[in-house]
Amino acid sequence: MIAVLRAESKEMALRTIDAVVQGGITGLEITFTIPDAESVIKETVSAYQNNSDIVIGAGTVLDVITARIAIMSGAEFIVSPAFDQDIAELCNLYQVPYLPGCMTVTEMTAALRSGVDIIKLFPSNHFEPGFINAIKAPLPQVNIMPTGGINLDNIEQWVTAGSVAVGVGGSLFAPAKHGNYTKVTQIAKEYIDKFNEIKMVCQ
């Protein structure tokens, strides 16, 4: 499970990250819509350098320059809203996983040819979970991570449909806008408990 973090300030971002980690979510996507996102990545990497369970990546990476800044700041994976060949090549050069957003078979096959291991189905709220099965018919090797519109009510449908991972954002971070970081921790725990429960059933 990847927590897709958006925040209105650096301070809000750092406090929200701590709240999410306390709730048990260990996959963090720090988006470049956050002010001073580069510093947020660096400080988060430093804060959790002794916790090997925490995986920190960069999101909303729109160009190769931003991708390199993110990697040099310590990002362990790069996420884009759309596939970009130059970003794919840079990530391959540094051996950093690249997760581009795709919506069509054409986009997905182009991403696979460029060495992409996980494709972000984005925005997933425009699809039904059964879309994964439809895609896997001609492309059984594709790993799909739906992002956008994932919540506690539909996460089970997406995971059981064959998602390799899920990206969660808006519903998880909403309380942070009002300074309620305790609530963020509570919701994060609900998400991770639900996710682990689903995975146990699927095994």
Side-chain angles (χ1 to χ4, degrees):
M1 179 179 294
I2 304 295
V4 183
L5 177 68
R6 300 190 188 279
E8 297 171 2
S9 68
K10 175 182 173 180
E11 179 187 9
M12 179 181 174
L14 292 172
R15 292 189 66 183
T16 305
I17 288 167
D18 287 341
V20 168
V21 171
Q22 288 179 34
I25 296 179
T26 56
L28 306 172
E29 177 188 330
I30 299 170
T31 65
F32 266 82
T33 56
I34 299 170
D36 203 9
E38 178 183 355
S39 293
V40 175
I41 294 171
K42 288 180 178 178
E43 291 187 28
T44 304
V45 169
S46 177
Y48 294 104
Q49 61 183 334
N50 295 323
N51 187 338
S52 59
D53 292 331
I54 305 295
V55 182
I56 300 162
T60 320
V61 176
L62 303 179
D63 55 68
V64 70
I65 294 173
T66 306
R68 190 175 188 281
I69 289 171
I71 292 169
M72 294 300 101
S73 298
E76 299 173 81
F77 61 91
I78 300 295
V79 186
S80 307
F83 173 69
D84 184 285
Q85 180 67 37
D86 291 336
I87 295 176
E89 292 178 5
L90 180 80
C91 288
N92 285 337
L93 177 64
Y94 287 100
Q95 290 292 283
V96 172
Y98 176 42
L99 290 69
C102 298
M103 295 179 69
T104 68
V105 173
T106 301
E107 292 171 335
M108 291 180 188
T109 52
L112 290 173
R113 286 193 189 100
S114 296
V116 169
D117 290 321
I118 298 177
I119 287 171
K120 179 175 76 166
L121 178 63
F122 177 79
S124 62
N125 56 355
H126 286 271
F127 299 91
E128 296 293 332
F131 181 75
I132 293 180
N133 289 327
I135 290 296
K136 280 183 169 288
L139 297 173
Q141 75 276 23
V142 70
N143 294 313
I144 295 179
M145 179 182 77
T147 304
I150 304 298
N151 55 52
L152 287 167
D153 294 326
N154 64 23
I155 187 173
E156 182 172 3
Q157 296 174 341
W158 282 106
V159 174
T160 56
S163 303
V164 70
V166 292
V168 297
S171 59
L172 172 61
F173 297 119
K177 294 180 180 180
H178 306 288
N180 192 346
Y181 298 101
T182 300
K183 183 67 173 179
V184 173
T185 297
Q186 178 187 329
I187 297 174
K189 189 176 187 306
E190 291 175 5
Y191 266 105
I192 204 68
D193 287 348
K194 181 77 171 180
F195 186 75
N196 288 335
E197 177 185 324
I198 296 165
K199 295 300 288 184
M200 287 182 64
V201 172
C202 292
Q203 288 178 351

